[in-house]
Amino acid sequence: MEKIPDQLGYLILTEDGAVLESGGELENDERVATIITDLISLSNSIDPVAFGPEEKFKKISITYDDHWFVICISNKKIYVVKRSIQSSPSESIAVNV
Amino acid sequence: MCDENIVNERTHLLEVPEQQQETPSPTTCASTPPRKPDEQSALNRILHETATNVIDVGALGPYSLEAGAYSERVRTYSARAAAAALPPPARARLLADLPPALRRALLAAPSLAPADRDLITNAVKKAASAISELRVEHHEDLVVAFRVP
């Protein structure tokens, strides 16, 4: 698979969650593969009233403080890339409730 | 008896002969003194109704459709069944299947902006706390006395 900037690891899965290719920090990571597959199944069962009739999403991203995952589907395969975040001290305002 | 010109899916498969079914012969009843005539006539009526409504398949005798009528009915039934069959529902998928060119661009795209991430996190925190504060306020009794003197 093509090299993605800041890439830490990647996974290519079948639609059922079987690992086709893997590399970097995600090499042979069946655990993450299962989690991602379950996440996609979960997203498929979201109540359709929440979205427009033919509204489709292009990617799912899971963002942590120092790294993030980008997930998309292409040619009936699930692509997962773990990328690092060059974190600069952010001036974010966190609301504590 | 209505004339059925059109053979469709509602055409009866078995032609029920409109014949008078034999009720129990009145000779047996005549020998016994009619102590309860109403009961006897009621029983006879029920028996007669059952006999006329029941389709005795065994008593119909040899029955067969003509070859032409049979194949025509097969055709009619198949056409109706095919028209009624629904296409298999497409599996609900939230993520679209992307062409390879779009995939490359998408995977390489920059990450979520920190401001957006904080917006989402704070909004969800507020929503979660609001939902957790849902309460039921008890005003009236659920169980009420109804028509109790």
Side-chain angles (χ1 to χ4, degrees), chain A residues 2 4 15 43-44 51 56-59 63-65 68 70 72-76 79 83 92-93 95 97, chain B residues 91-100 102-104 106-112 117-118 122 125 129:
Chain A
E2 59 275 0
I4 308 289
E15 279 189 321
S43 71
N44 288 337
F51 308 110
K56 297 266 183 209
F57 289 82
K58 297 201 193 79
K59 68 178 177 187
T63 311
Y64 295 90
D65 287 329
W68 67 296
V70 53
C72 73
I73 298 182
S74 176
N75 276 354
K76 300 207 187 300
Y79 287 77
R83 298 171 60 180
S92 59
I93 304 163
V95 174
V97 291
Chain B
R91 236 187 331 169
R93 298 200 139 266
L94 194 67
L95 278 180
D97 199 312
L98 307 170
L102 239 123
R103 179 195 79 221
R104 271 189 286 274
L106 195 87
L107 292 175
S111 70
L112 192 67
R117 191 184 145 206
D118 292 334
N122 293 334
K125 268 191 200 171
S129 105

Side-chain angles (χ1 to χ4, degrees), chain A residues 15-55:
Chain A
E15 279 189 321
D16 303 325
V19 179
L20 290 168
E21 266 185 63
S22 61
E25 289 182 20
L26 295 178
E27 186 152 23
N28 299 323
D29 199 332
E30 302 255 357
R31 189 189 65 95
V32 171
T34 309
I35 293 171
I36 304 286
T37 312
D38 290 346
L39 179 68
I40 292 176
S41 305
L42 191 72
S43 71
N44 288 337
S45 55
I46 290 178
D47 196 337
V49 300
F51 308 110
E54 284 306 316
E55 191 174 350

